[in-house]
Amino acid sequence: MKMKLAIGSVQFGMDYGAGGGKKVPLTELAPLFDFARQAGIDLIDTAPRYGDSEALIGRIAAGTVFPRIVTKTPHFPGERIAPEQIDRMEAVFRRSMRQLRRTPLYAVLVHLAEDLLKPGAERIYERMIEWKAKGWVRKIGFSVYVGEEIDRVLERFSFDVVQLPINVLDQRLLAGGHLARAKAAGLEIQARSVFLQGVLLLEPARVPPGLGRYRPRLEALRRRWEALGLTPLEGAVRFIRSVPHIDDAIVGVHSLRQLREVHRAFASPLGGAAELSFFEPFALNEEIGLLDPRRW
C-alpha cells in the first residue's frame, strides 16, 4: 500500500512548534481544508488536548472534507486505571464526536501508551472495543514515544493502529525493528513528528537555545540536502517516504502555502532503493532528551 499524506491539527487549536510556532489563523483553515479535499488528503489527526481543534474541524469541515478523522483519549493520571476514569474517558469521546460532527470516527487512540501499562488498563481496552461494536469508531489504537511501549502493549492487547514518531534525526523505531514488528502484527502505522515539531525546517541559527545540540547535525543535514538539490522540507519528506511499513505520514502545517509545498514534495519521484542510506548517518537515536519533545 502506498504511503498517504495526512494532516496533524494541533497547531489549529493552539500555539505549537519549535521556534515559536503560532496557531493557524481561523481565516486560513477553510482554504487549507479545501485544498486538502482537492488533493485527496483524507486523514486528519486531532485530540481533545489540542485546544479547540476538534471544534474547528467540525465547524469548518462539517464532517465532509476528511473521511478519516483520528482522535485520542484523555490522559489517565495516577498509578492505576479506576472505573470512574473510564466514565470520564467516554464522556470526552462523546464530546469529540459531537464537536467533530462525525459518527463513526475513523479511529480513537490511547493518547499515551503508558496508560495501557498501568493496572486496570483492561478497562480502557474493553470500553474501546465496546465503541467499535456500537459503530462509534472503526478502529482503535495507541500512540507511543518509544519502541518498548509497542512491544509491551502488544503483549497485552490487540489493536488496529499505532501512531509513532519518526524523522530523519529520530530513526529509533526503524533501527530497532519496531516498524517491521508492528506491521507483522497487523497494525496500521501512522507516522508523526515528521518535521520534529518544525526543528528540521528551522535555520540552524534559529534553533531555540535549549536545543542547541541540534545545530551541528542540522548544518550537516542541510549540506547533504543541498548536495541533493533539496530544501529542508523536501529532504524531511523524502526521508519519511523512503521508510517502509508506514501507511500515513502525519504532518503539521501552519499555512496553506506550506501544505502546498508538503503536498508537492510528497508527489515528487523518489530516488530509489538506496534512499535510506543517505540519511542513516544523521540519526540521533541515543539522544533521547533531544528526540522526545516532552523533555524539551
Side-chain angles (χ1 to χ4, degrees):
M1 178 179 175
K2 184 179 179 181
M3 186 189 307
K4 300 187 72 174
L5 175 63
I7 294 178
S9 70
V10 60
Q11 65 282 349
F12 299 163
M14 57 196 296
D15 293 346
Y16 181 82
K22 297 297 183 182
K23 181 177 177 178
V24 177
L26 184 60
T27 54
E28 189 88 355
L29 289 183
L32 193 152
F33 287 177
D34 187 56
F35 176 82
R37 179 183 56 79
Q38 295 178 46
I41 299 171
D42 70 343
L43 186 147
I44 190 165
D45 176 73
T46 188
R49 297 172 69 179
Y50 294 171
D52 59 352
S53 69
E54 289 188 333
L56 290 170
I57 292 167
R59 187 165 82 231
I60 298 172
T64 62
V65 173
F66 301 101
R68 297 190 294 155
I69 300 177
V70 178
T71 190
K72 303 180 186 72
T73 64
H75 176 48
F76 296 84
E79 297 180 357
R80 61 187 305 109
I81 308 300
E84 58 269 21
Q85 290 177 299
I86 303 304
D87 292 337
R88 175 176 174 268
M89 178 183 80
E90 178 154 323
V92 170
F93 182 59
R94 286 172 178 263
R95 185 182 65 192
S96 292
M97 288 191 292
R98 288 194 303 271
Q99 291 185 326
L100 291 163
R101 305 184 187 185
R102 172 71 62 79
T103 304
L105 294 177
Y106 180 68
V108 59
L109 313 181
V110 177
H111 204 147
L112 295 175
E114 63 191 47
D115 289 331
L116 289 167
L117 305 177
K118 297 176 181 178
E122 65 279 356
R123 294 188 173 103
I124 300 174
Y125 182 74
E126 289 165 1
R127 186 62 60 91
M128 294 172 80
I129 289 291
E130 288 180 15
W131 295 345
K132 281 184 69 175
K134 290 178 178 179
W136 292 356
V137 65
R138 290 173 54 194
K139 299 188 177 188
I140 60 174
F142 59 106
S143 178
V144 304
Y145 281 91
V146 296
E148 180 190 10
E149 292 175 334
I150 299 176
D151 297 334
R152 294 180 64 191
V153 168
L154 291 182
E155 287 175 359
R156 299 186 65 182
F157 306 112
S158 177
F159 281 106
D160 306 308
V161 182
V162 62
Q163 193 175 108
L164 48 81
I166 183 168
N167 55 70
V168 65
L169 295 182
D170 184 358
Q171 302 181 36
R172 293 170 296 161
L173 302 183
L174 177 63
H178 292 93
L179 285 175
R181 289 198 293 276
K183 184 54 65 177
L187 289 174
E188 178 179 315
I189 298 176
Q190 298 175 355
R192 68 170 191 275
S193 201
V194 172
F195 300 139
L196 193 56
Q197 291 199 11
V199 168
L200 290 171
L201 307 184
L202 290 176
E203 291 285 346
R206 292 188 57 225
V207 172
L211 301 176
R213 283 185 294 161
Y214 273 128
R215 290 193 187 107
R217 197 61 56 98
L218 287 174
E219 290 168 352
L221 257 178
R222 288 195 169 226
R223 289 193 294 270
R224 173 59 62 88
W225 285 334
E226 287 174 5
L228 294 171
L230 302 172
T231 66
L233 185 148
E234 290 168 340
V237 168
R238 186 159 167 173
F239 167 78
I240 202 68
R241 289 180 61 214
S242 67
V243 178
H245 308 308
I246 294 173
D247 296 285
D248 296 285
I250 300 169
V251 301
V253 294
H254 286 86
S255 67
L256 174 59
R257 178 190 58 79
Q258 191 177 50
L259 178 58
R260 289 180 183 275
E261 291 175 355
V262 173
H263 180 260
R264 185 165 56 249
F266 229 83
S268 65
L270 282 176
E275 195 80 10
L276 272 175
S277 65
F278 292 151
F279 301 107
E280 288 172 1
F282 298 98
L284 290 167
N285 293 346
E286 305 305 319
E287 298 279 357
I288 304 302
L290 285 177
L291 299 177
D292 188 341
R294 297 174 300 177
R295 304 190 186 193
W296 293 357

